[in-house]
Amino acid sequence: MKILATIRKEFLLLVRDAGGITLIFLMPLALVIVMALIQNNTIDEFLETKLEVLLVDEDRDALGAELERAFRASPNIRLIKQVDHEALTAETARRLVQRGKYKTVVIIPKDAGAMLQRKNKNAVVRLLAHYGLSDKKPVADALPAPEIQILFDPAIKANFKQTLTSAVEKIVAHVQSDGLMDEVQTHMGKMTKKPKIKMDLSDMIIVRQENAVENNKRGMPPNAVQHNVPAWSMFAMFFILFPLAGNLIKEREEGSMLRLRLIAGSSLPVISGKFIFYFFVCLLQLLLMIGVGLYIMPLLGMSKLVIGTNYPGLLLVGFSVAMAATGYGLLIAVYFKTPQQALSFGSISVVILAAIGGVWVPVFLMPEMMQSISPYSPLNWGLEAFNNLFLRNAETAAVLPDVARLLCFSGTTLGAGILIHKSRTVL
Amino acid sequence: MTDSSLIQVSGLRKIYRGAEMPAVDNLSFVVHEGDIFGLLGPNGAGKSTTIMALCGLLKINAGSIQIFGLSINQKGAEIRKLIGVAPQEIALFPMLTAYENLAYFGRMYGLDRATIRQRVDHLLEDFGLKEKAKVRVAHFSGGMKRRLNLIAALLHRPRLLILDEPTSGVDVQSRKMILDYLLSLQAEGVTIIYSSHLLDEAENLCSWFSILDEGRLIAEGKLKDMPAMNSGSRNLEQLFLELTGKRTRD
């Protein structure tokens, strides 16, 4: 009954505090939306490597055609052959990249196809002559190799350069192997008087790319919404220490806490009531922010939050994060004696824990040293658990280690908070 | 402990961490059942320390406190159930109404809903606050807050009431209402410890006085029996100044 009375009292105090409601509910919602919007491009850029590529094909042969086809088929490349309705030349494309208007240009020089064909022919002649299948003599001197030029804006990231260069090399290798095969068929056809056959070398080996998820469930790649909604929800939940500490210290300063201390047996119900009330506030915060991810983010042009199908797991993780956040807030509230101390330490510590935990920047983007520290932050445990559910559609068992860590953290902070509060009943 | 003594303080000493002088030193006094006991003294005399120690909220360095025959060190929680305290601060929630404040404290005292309703209605009526039951305390005047602060200490019908500056900053009407109520409580057998700077008020209200200065008891007894009164002091204020001197104690 005493706990219920305290919960009711906390509820009345909160609903009558417009500033507190704004801080607890509206600010976190604004934070989640703003951070998702800000990080939307950054994360997508890193994850999807979407690149505008200028293509100047001075050769107009198979090599250019194959590069164009491959670029158009790539989800990570947007091919541009014209700028301002004019076909690009090597010179204009080079200038556009130098001025930073575009990030990269691929130039296939004139006669590149013919040069490649000559080199293929020479290689086949040399091969057949070696095995005594042809009387023709290969050219002794090395034929010049066609040079495909890729120019990059100096400001472009190294991983973009690597991605594009690899893509071009792969296409060139494919064209080259097709050319070699064709040249072999030409010589063999002359010898055997048989026609050429069509050979597709593209499916000689298949490299399949897939997200690793459990139980054949469909996973999804991380994006700004998938990262930001759980990350900033937890950040906001840990900021529950603001109203919790502010409220408790105010009660101490105003004297109502003194009256409660004078009432025998009120210490535990007061702390428990506060803990339970703010625990439910945290859960409500999470629910609202998931709602923003599901219904508001798509209206703002971002992707919809995908929460997987493991709802009991989601409830368990939300419960654990709320427990951890409330426990931490309570410890800060009872430990510090002034609001300035509590709120300064509390806010800075949450920012640090959030940064370490991967809220600001996803852990996989952090330097190696920070990645090794990250698993010590409770916000990281929560974020990992949410990622397991949302991105990997994991079973509940997969989140249990993180849930256990969060509950241990909650138990420790809550226990310490109760002990400190009780010890201060007697000065 | 004598038959009629409710509180027996013996050799009480408290020195706060980092302080050079004890806040109270070798303090001994007895409070008899049904008395209104005036705990008087200038600023820093040790009144608040003594009150905190009586409530069991202070670890004392030496001495003993017995209330209702129980040691405060061993039975603090049991003793607190029998005492009501109106601290000097307005120990209420400003954003709750008068009724909500009292209902919450009533719950914390372990009272059931019906008892709370009956007692709160009765006390609000007695203190002229019934019409303000649904008004938030933040909108109360100083006098109304002070009355409500006292009501919150009376909800569980304590046998011992400890009041720290109960009429501080209130108007004449509120003061009269509070003092009349305290006298009616005394008539019902409630023992009251009353700490105040308002000596004329104490003189009219209290049946027994203890005057502290710099942590020590410098005089106690009924006003008319105090030797200094017999030596020419006409009222409590004159006696107080004679005993404590005119030096300010900020």
Side-chain angles (χ1 to χ4, degrees), chain A residues 1-2 5-6 9 12-13 16 251 254-256 258-264 266 269-270 425-427, chain B residues 52 55-57 59 77 80-81 85 89-91 93-96 100 104-105 107-109 136 149 152-153:
Chain A
M1 294 303 260
K2 289 181 180 181
T6 303
K9 184 262 290 181
L12 290 173
L13 290 177
R16 289 170 189 174
E251 286 176 4
E254 284 174 354
S256 44
L258 173 65
R259 186 184 294 285
L260 290 169
R261 281 178 175 170
L262 288 165
I263 300 174
S266 68
V270 165
T425 301
V426 177
L427 302 172
Chain B
M52 295 290 271
C55 297
L57 296 181
K59 271 185 188 157
R80 278 200 291 274
K81 286 179 187 167
V85 184
E89 302 90 347
I90 302 295
F93 300 101
M95 294 306 285
L96 298 186
E100 287 164 350
Y104 176 59
F105 290 121
R107 284 278 173 182
M108 300 314 282
Y109 279 121
R136 288 186 198 173
N149 203 35

Side-chain angles (χ1 to χ4, degrees), chain A residues 111-280:
Chain A
D111 295 332
M115 287 165 82
L116 180 62
Q117 202 177 356
R118 276 201 293 280
K119 280 188 82 72
N120 281 342
K121 193 178 226 171
N122 198 45
V124 172
V125 167
R126 196 169 158 191
L127 188 72
L128 294 174
H130 176 75
Y131 289 104
L133 296 171
S134 174
D135 297 334
K136 287 187 178 175
K137 296 281 180 212
V139 178
D141 298 330
L143 290 168
E147 273 187 25
I148 294 175
Q149 226 181 343
I150 309 176
L151 296 174
F152 290 108
D153 176 357
I156 203 167
K157 288 178 187 168
N159 60 323
F160 289 143
K161 289 182 184 175
Q162 188 59 42
T163 303
L164 187 69
T165 307
S166 300
V168 170
E169 283 172 351
K170 185 181 161 195
I171 296 159
V172 167
H174 176 61
V175 171
Q176 191 179 11
S177 62
D178 276 355
L180 271 171
M181 188 56 68
D182 186 68
E183 202 58 47
V184 169
Q185 287 209 53
T186 303
H187 283 274
M188 301 294 276
K190 279 180 188 169
M191 285 188 280
T192 60
K193 308 287 184 205
K194 285 191 174 174
K196 288 182 180 176
I197 57 167
K198 186 154 179 64
M199 293 193 70
D200 184 5
L201 302 178
S202 62
D203 61 353
M204 299 282 280
I205 186 162
I206 295 168
V207 179
R208 189 191 299 281
Q209 194 184 330
E210 202 172 285
N211 292 322
V213 290
E214 288 184 351
N215 305 325
N216 295 325
K217 288 178 178 173
R218 200 171 64 83
M220 68 161 301
N223 59 37
V225 172
Q226 291 301 131
H227 170 72
N228 281 299
V229 172
W232 294 104
S233 299
M234 280 196 308
F235 186 72
M237 287 161 83
F238 270 79
F239 259 80
I240 201 72
L241 71 88
F242 259 81
L244 210 167
N247 177 308
L248 199 139
I249 293 170
K250 201 165 106 185
E251 286 176 4
R252 217 154 54 201
E253 288 182 339
E254 284 174 354
S256 44
M257 188 55 77
L258 173 65
R259 186 184 294 285
L260 290 169
R261 281 178 175 170
L262 288 165
I263 300 174
S266 68
S267 188
L268 198 59
V270 165
I271 287 294
S272 308
K274 279 183 186 291
F275 182 87
I276 293 168
F277 175 74
Y278 282 102
F279 162 78
F280 280 110

Side-chain angles (χ1 to χ4, degrees), chain A residues 319-394:
Chain A
F319 177 91
S320 313
V321 173
M323 291 278 286
T326 317
Y328 186 64
L330 195 74
L331 179 60
I332 297 287
V334 297
Y335 181 76
F336 290 100
K337 290 182 177 166
T338 68
Q340 290 81 3
Q341 287 173 344
L343 302 184
S344 302
F345 179 87
S347 55
I348 293 170
S349 64
V350 170
V351 168
I352 292 172
L353 288 174
I356 293 171
V359 168
W360 295 86
V361 176
V363 176
F364 63 88
L365 290 179
M366 286 183 188
E368 205 170 316
M369 192 195 79
M370 293 309 294
Q371 287 191 24
S372 65
I373 298 173
S374 194
Y376 295 101
S377 164
L379 280 92
N380 177 263
W381 307 333
L383 197 55
E384 276 300 306
F386 279 123
N387 282 343
N388 268 327
L389 294 173
F390 292 177
L391 303 177
R392 300 173 194 114
N393 212 357

Side-chain angles (χ1 to χ4, degrees), chain B residues 170-184:
Chain B
V170 304
D171 57 22
V172 177
Q173 287 82 359
S174 289
R175 176 175 300 163
K176 183 166 181 358
M177 184 176 274
I178 290 171
L179 296 181
D180 285 350
Y181 197 86
L182 293 181
L183 288 169
S184 72

